């Protein structure tokens, strides 16, 4: 029920978060299929607690109806339960564009009077480095780049991404949340722009052997 676990190194952080509690988290895929099912919710949360995870980054929120009172209440109850009963302090919303946070996540947070029911991490995942996605005919090209007059190539993908990151960083600041992004491959100039527009960077390190993680990540570090 949570098939995608991001075994990632949380490698680049702004100074503001350098002294914070160590972050240990997972990406939760297919979250809309878990939400509202107490058996699945508790299974996920027990797993997080038993594994000492203190952060859940929730995928698939576009399939959660934020206009439906039942869905919203289920979401609020889940987040509150995670914090109060399972020690999962950090709850992240993962999105592909600023509009997801502007139209859904921020209004949801604003409507909650209990701080334990709010998202406190806004995570942008937009894989501008994946050529098959940004090239003509790719998912990002047709879904985001063409409608926003960005070229369907790596440069156009990054142009769109960094604008979204800047906007998400701004709305996260207003919300009192941490802005965060997941990245794989980038050049030095892109890295400088990324760290100027987000609080925290998750650098992917998909390796079978843990001993190879540092060597795999060293150049990007």
């Amino acid at each position: 029920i949570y098939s995608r676990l991001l075994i990632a190194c949380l490698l680049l952080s702004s100074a503001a978060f350098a002294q914070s509690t160590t972050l240990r988290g997972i990406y939760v895929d297919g979250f809309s299929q878990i939400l509202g099912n107490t058996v699945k919710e508790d299974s996920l949360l027990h797993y997080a607690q038993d594994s000492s995870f203190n952060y859940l980054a929730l995928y698939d929120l576009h399939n959660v109806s934020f206009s439906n009172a039942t869905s919203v209440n289920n979401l609020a109850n889940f987040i509150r339960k995670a914090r109060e009963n399972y020690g999962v302090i950090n709850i992240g919303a993962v999105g592909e564009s600023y509009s997801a946070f502007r139209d859904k996540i921020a209004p949801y947070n604003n409507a909650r009077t209990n701080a334990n029911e709010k998202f406190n991490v806004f995570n942008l995942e937009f894989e501008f480095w994946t050529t098959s996605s940004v090239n003509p005919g790719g998912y990002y090209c047709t879904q985001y780049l063409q409608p926003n007059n960005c070229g369907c190539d790596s440069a156009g993908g990054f142009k769109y991404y960094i604008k979204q990151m800047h906007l998400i960083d701004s709305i996260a600041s207003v919300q009192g949340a941490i802005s965060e992004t997941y990245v794989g491959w980038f050049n030095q100039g892109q890295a400088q722009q990324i760290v100027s527009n987000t609080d925290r960077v998750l650098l992917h390190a998909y390796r079978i052997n843990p001993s190879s993680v540092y060597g795999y990540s060293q150049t990007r570090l």
Side-chain angles (χ1 to χ4, degrees), residues 9 28 43 55 61 64 70 75 79 90 98-99 114 128 152 154-155 165 167 172 177 193 195 198 202 207:
C9 297
V28 182
S43 177
Y55 175 35
L61 292 173
V64 175
T70 299
L75 179 59
I79 295 175
N90 303 284
Y98 167 67
S99 62
N114 186 335
F128 60 84
C152 285
S154 295
M165 192 69 258
L167 293 170
Q193 294 184 65
V195 299
T198 190
L202 311 185
R207 308 302 292 164

Side-chain angles (χ1 to χ4, degrees), residues 195-211:
V195 299
S196 296
N197 286 282
T198 190
D199 296 320
R200 185 163 63 208
V201 176
L202 311 185
L203 180 60
H204 89 37
Y206 293 116
R207 308 302 292 164
I208 294 174
N209 187 339
S211 66

Side-chain angles (χ1 to χ4, degrees), residues 87-103:
V88 182
I89 303 303
N90 303 284
I91 305 291
V94 180
E96 295 179 337
S97 67
Y98 167 67
S99 62
F101 298 92
R102 179 195 63 201
D103 299 339

